[in-house]
Amino acid sequence: MPRTLGQAIGFLLGLWLAIWLSPFGVNAENRAPAAELEADLHGRVLAIRSQEHLIPLIRRADLDRIARSHAADMAQRGYMAHTTPEGRSPVDRMREGGIEGFALAAENIGKTSQANPTRAVVDGWVASPAHRENLHAPPFNATGIGVARAADGSYLYTQIYATFPR
């Protein structure tokens, strides 16, 4: 506990610096490229679904929050899986995040170091039967998207698919 004004200022400055440099903090500089990649992914997925005459997936901020959190967790802890090391599934993470009222849910994840990361991830999903099934599933009407960059420079993508009553 700081005992003087100088100690308090030093403590606050140190805390601010630690948060700013932390891989857990989100600053505008790191968020902007991820937001662009998320928007690109949404556009590509909408185009795929449109070609199949499927309803568009509406992005929801609450689902984006869950997807971003999972992408960031995978990037920070160096794993790639639908289930966290603690055993939390996509549905568990949605429920823990306060998402209610969905009838169906699924998740696609991907990792790439390619120059055009979104294209590489989407191409991989289209080539994978299980991921393609999520892309083409008619009942899904909502999505959340998250992209995070790992320490090695690769990008980790998470896309949540959900069905909510209309």
Side-chain angles (χ1 to χ4, degrees):
M1 184 69 128
R3 293 190 175 121
T4 68
L5 180 60
Q7 287 177 339
I9 291 171
F11 173 79
L12 291 174
L13 181 61
L15 179 63
W16 174 81
L17 186 60
I19 291 170
W20 185 71
L21 293 174
S22 168
F24 302 105
V26 176
N27 59 44
E29 185 178 298
N30 290 333
R31 190 70 220 130
E36 291 171 13
L37 294 172
E38 291 168 3
D40 187 26
L41 177 67
H42 189 229
R44 288 175 187 270
V45 168
L46 289 177
I48 289 168
R49 289 182 63 86
S50 177
Q51 290 171 354
E52 299 294 319
H53 306 289
L54 298 167
I55 62 171
L57 299 175
I58 305 302
R59 274 186 81 179
R60 290 179 44 145
D62 55 352
L63 293 176
D64 280 350
R65 181 176 38 82
I66 303 300
R68 286 179 183 139
S69 177
H70 187 57
D73 185 49
M74 291 189 297
Q76 291 164 2
R77 296 202 291 167
Y79 74 95
M80 192 175 113
H82 295 289
T83 303
T84 68
E86 297 77 26
R88 293 172 43 234
S89 72
V91 170
D92 294 333
R93 292 190 309 273
M94 289 171 66
R95 287 188 176 135
E96 290 167 8
I99 312 295
E100 297 178 359
F102 60 92
L104 296 172
E107 179 181 76
N108 281 356
I109 59 173
K111 180 178 181 179
T112 186
S113 296
Q114 298 294 315
N116 187 336
T118 304
R119 182 177 182 180
V121 166
V122 171
D123 287 351
W125 289 350
V126 169
S128 161
H131 293 94
R132 188 174 54 250
E133 185 177 331
N134 288 339
L135 285 169
H136 292 168
F140 293 136
N141 59 13
T143 192
I145 299 169
V147 177
R149 194 155 196 189
D152 67 2
S154 62
Y155 288 95
L156 286 108
Y157 284 68
T158 300
Q159 183 171 21
I160 296 171
Y161 302 85
T163 302
F164 289 90
R166 297 179 206 202

